[in-house]
Amino acid sequence: MTAATDWHDWHLPYDDDTSPLSRRLRLVQQHINEWLDRRSDSSLRVVSVCAGQGRDLIGALAPRPDADRVRAELIEYDPRNVAAARAGIAAAKLTGFTVTQADAGDFAAYRMVVPADLVVLAGVLGNISEQDVRATVDALPRLCASDATVIWTRTRRDPDLTPAVRGWFAAAGFAEEAFDAPSDVLFSVGVHRFHEQPRRAPSSGRIFTFTG
């Protein structure tokens, strides 16, 4: 983690409905809702990686009458964001949600919560090295259940890595379902579905190092 970025204050642009961060949030929430709409399962497991204050999952699920189908684990390192996420969960009465303060870059953080039916990677791939982006995509079959969905975000600032990221998802056994890249902003939101057999996750081991 870097000392230069205050990851609690980083969330402040969400309070401006016109900010790029708010626009990205709404797209991620839209894809979360679309995922849940097409899944008829009575119980679904969700993992949010570097979850921050959990605004994507909490905001998407809070209004839904079927939110109790979801068991979500939000993994976040910053204690202030952990507290904010827990407060948001309590206010929304999402009894199936929990927050773990842990390093989401280590497989050890996922021991009790995988395989997942949905993995949310919002704000992750733009804050780790290119090598770690590839390693993270390659690790996803160890976090995903059969037919799982991954929702991810990444800036398209030069040099734009998103074409390579989309190729790495394909090589790891994922089919692309959506790629949102609005022309007037630099963010992008991707949705990929896992179509191969899940692999067992190790009990520990480095996936990525969050650099900010």
Side-chain angles (χ1 to χ4, degrees):
M1 307 290 285
T2 61
T5 302
D6 186 318
W7 291 107
H8 182 269
D9 289 351
W10 179 90
H11 291 75
L12 292 175
Y14 281 130
D15 296 330
D16 176 4
D17 287 341
T18 66
S19 72
L21 197 59
S22 287
R23 290 176 60 187
R24 191 188 78 176
L25 174 65
R26 289 192 292 272
L27 270 174
V28 172
Q29 291 173 335
Q30 173 187 323
H31 287 301
I32 292 170
N33 277 300
E34 289 172 352
W35 165 77
L36 191 53
D37 285 343
R38 68 172 177 261
R39 295 292 299 251
S40 60
D41 315 55
S42 60
S43 180
L44 291 159
R45 179 173 285 184
V46 177
V47 173
S48 181
V49 180
C50 299
Q53 297 177 4
R55 299 197 188 197
D56 40 25
L57 279 173
I58 296 170
L61 272 292
R64 294 188 64 111
D66 61 346
D68 60 352
R69 292 199 288 142
V70 174
R71 297 291 176 266
E73 182 72 29
L74 285 65
I75 302 173
E76 170 57 30
Y77 187 83
D78 188 294
R80 296 167 300 164
N81 287 335
V82 169
R86 288 173 175 161
I89 288 166
K93 299 180 179 178
L94 293 168
T95 57
F97 281 43
T98 56
V99 186
T100 297
Q101 184 178 352
D103 178 2
D106 194 304
F107 274 113
Y110 303 90
R111 282 177 297 181
M112 304 301 292
V113 298
V114 294
D117 300 297
L118 174 67
V119 177
V120 180
L121 277 169
V124 178
L125 301 185
N127 289 293
I128 59 179
S129 69
E130 179 175 339
Q131 180 179 354
D132 278 1
V133 173
R134 178 69 184 269
T136 301
V137 174
D138 287 346
L140 285 169
R142 301 183 185 277
L143 304 181
C144 288
S146 179
D147 200 35
T149 294
V150 177
I151 300 173
W152 57 277
T153 67
R154 165 80 193 195
T155 182
R156 288 175 285 120
R157 186 179 298 111
D158 288 335
D160 182 4
L161 193 63
T162 58
V165 173
R166 297 162 78 185
W168 295 336
F169 267 98
F174 291 81
E176 185 170 279
E177 299 211 318
F179 181 72
D180 302 313
S183 61
D184 60 331
V185 289
L186 290 175
F187 72 73
S188 56
V189 180
V191 182
H192 280 75
R193 186 184 289 193
F194 187 49
H195 58 75
E196 294 191 1
Q197 289 300 309
R199 288 182 251 161
R200 186 179 180 87
S203 59
S204 64
R206 178 59 46 188
I207 306 170
F208 62 82
T209 297
F210 197 88
T211 58

